[in-house]
Amino acid sequence: MGSQVLVALGLSLIGGLSTSIAGALFVILNQAPNLKMLGILQGFAAGLMLSISFLDLAHNAINSIGFLKGNLWFFAGVLFFAIVANFIPEPTLAPVSDSKKKTRDEGGKDIMKKHRRQVLFSGIVTAVGISLHNFPEGMAVFLGSMKGLRVGVNLALAIALHNIPEGVAVALPVYFATQSKWQAFKLATLSGLAEPLGVIIVAYLFPSSLSPEILEGLLGAVGGVMAFLTLHEMLPLAFDYAGQKQAVKAVFFGMAFMSASLYFLEISLPEEMSL
């Protein structure tokens, strides 16, 4: 394995593991939230995802390969995951052995189990979306490291800061649903490891340069997948738990937060590179 690839892999781990570290710290230092607070935070996470999808991935695809091609790739991603979603079973939770729960009536148990199943599925959806977003970030770290160590380090640190709210967005619903800090940490870590995976794939599976048009089109399709996941799974959950007004506020706050994060990430890159 070449020294440049090792450096890029190490730098991408810094960025990727910030996702798990942020998620782990959040769930360790906080108790599982109530349903209303969970709904607000789900709205915030949905805002992060929508901002990445529309203002980053789809926007860059349209600017790079044209309005028509960019939109075709975007809606190909939407259609692809709309089909895939029909075959994804809703996850189930093993019953939690808690003596207090035995005193509850059966209706209350069923409602809580349903809530937890919904929230766990939302957490998995978020992890998938964040992983798809982290993958091209790993590619960017690799390409930046090829330009020079300073560029790679600056980019890795910027991405690490950028990934902190993403780690919380992944870990929080998993912690609420499973009551397990380990499960929350594990899923946040797996989503962050998509960055070094991006380095490995670019370095070894595509040793020659990728077609810029194909690459931008694929990232536009990723934006479509993320948009579908957010609108299909996360927003309904946020509305149910937090109410429409609070959830909408949280969505726009999340979009503003991620837009600012993307801006500061962009100005940290040289002109010829962008995520």
Side-chain angles (χ1 to χ4, degrees):
M1 185 178 289
S3 60
Q4 285 185 314
V5 175
L6 285 173
V7 169
L9 192 60
L11 291 175
S12 68
L13 279 170
I14 293 174
L17 290 180
S18 66
T19 307
S20 63
I21 292 171
L25 286 176
F26 186 87
V27 299
I28 288 171
L29 298 176
N30 293 276
Q31 297 295 321
N34 57 38
L35 287 176
K36 183 174 182 180
M37 180 56 65
L38 181 73
I40 291 173
L41 292 172
Q42 282 288 287
F44 176 79
L48 299 181
M49 299 270 281
L50 289 175
S51 184
I52 292 169
S53 175
F54 290 110
L55 304 181
D56 182 22
L57 299 177
H59 173 75
N60 289 341
I62 290 171
N63 283 344
S64 300
I65 62 178
F67 182 84
L68 179 59
K69 289 182 179 179
N71 275 282
L72 285 175
W73 277 102
F74 178 86
F75 285 105
V78 172
L79 180 61
F80 167 75
F81 215 83
I83 295 172
V84 170
N86 290 325
F87 299 97
I88 298 177
E90 184 177 328
T92 59
L93 288 174
V96 180
S97 59
D98 187 347
S99 59
K100 292 183 179 179
K101 290 184 179 293
K102 294 180 181 178
T103 61
R104 294 182 180 179
D105 61 279
E106 290 300 324
K109 286 183 180 179
D110 291 341
I111 291 173
M112 183 54 65
K113 286 181 181 179
K114 181 179 179 181
H115 282 319
R116 294 192 187 282
R117 282 196 298 268
Q118 290 174 331
V119 172
L120 179 60
F121 190 50
S122 174
I124 294 172
V125 162
T126 305
V128 170
I130 296 300
S131 297
L132 292 173
H133 172 61
N134 284 345
F135 181 80
E137 289 181 352
M139 296 167 62
V141 169
F142 174 76
L143 296 174
S145 299
M146 295 300 103
K147 287 181 173 291
L149 183 60
R150 183 186 62 83
V151 175
V153 169
N154 289 341
L155 181 55
L157 292 177
I159 288 175
L161 294 174
H162 164 81
N163 283 349
I164 288 174
E166 297 176 357
V168 175
V170 172
L172 177 66
V174 178
Y175 179 38
F176 177 88
T178 64
Q179 301 294 298
S180 169
K181 296 180 179 182
W182 165 243
Q183 293 295 333
F185 173 77
K186 183 168 65 174
L187 197 58
T189 300
L190 289 175
S191 67
L193 289 178
E195 287 194 22
L197 179 62
V199 171
I200 294 170
I201 288 178
V202 171
Y204 289 105
L205 299 185
F206 301 101
S208 58
S209 59
L210 288 171
S211 164
E213 182 171 335
I214 295 297
L215 179 59
E216 290 296 341
L218 288 172
L219 295 180
V222 168
V225 169
M226 292 178 67
F228 178 86
L229 289 172
T230 304
L231 297 174
H232 187 260
E233 297 295 337
M234 297 177 68
L235 275 184
L237 199 64
F239 287 166
D240 285 346
Y241 292 165
Q244 184 174 346
K245 290 184 179 179
Q246 294 297 324
V248 167
K249 290 177 184 177
V251 168
F252 281 109
F253 183 75
M255 292 184 73
F257 188 96
M258 184 54 69
S259 296
S261 175
L262 290 171
Y263 170 74
F264 287 113
L265 183 59
E266 183 73 19
I267 64 175
S268 72
L269 297 172
E271 284 188 12
E272 63 272 20
M273 286 186 65
S274 62
L275 286 178

